[in-house]
Amino acid sequence: MIALPDRRKSVRNPSLDNALIRFGELSLCCVVRDITERGAALNADDPPSPVPDQFTLIVPPNKTYSCNVVWREGDWVGVAFVV
């Protein structure tokens, strides 16, 4: 097996934080699986509706990020933080 180089520009930090995906008046529960200063990988287990392309991620107790979806795979979503 060939190991490919990690092309991320920021160090990935593993996480298991519970969070909310907020769009309009709706919120979906998710788990932040890893996070960097530029984005995150989220696991939204069986959402009742598709996760929108843009939303607010709320990570208690006091972190809020505006997000754009950059990839989707099953119930996983990769997002870039909007600065």
Side-chain angles (χ1 to χ4, degrees), residues 16-79:
L16 286 175
D17 291 332
N18 290 313
L20 290 174
I21 295 171
R22 182 92 171 143
F23 53 99
E25 295 298 318
L26 300 175
S27 294
L28 299 174
C29 294
C30 69
V31 176
V32 179
R33 299 306 301 242
D34 67 54
I35 191 164
T36 72
E37 63 186 33
R38 296 172 172 250
L42 312 175
N43 183 242
D45 197 25
D46 196 26
S49 61
V51 173
D53 292 335
Q54 298 176 332
F55 58 85
T56 300
L57 179 66
I58 302 168
V59 183
N62 59 0
K63 294 184 182 171
T64 303
Y65 305 94
S66 294
C67 299
N68 288 330
V69 172
V70 292
W71 58 264
R72 299 170 188 268
E73 187 173 321
D75 56 357
W76 286 73
V77 178
V79 298

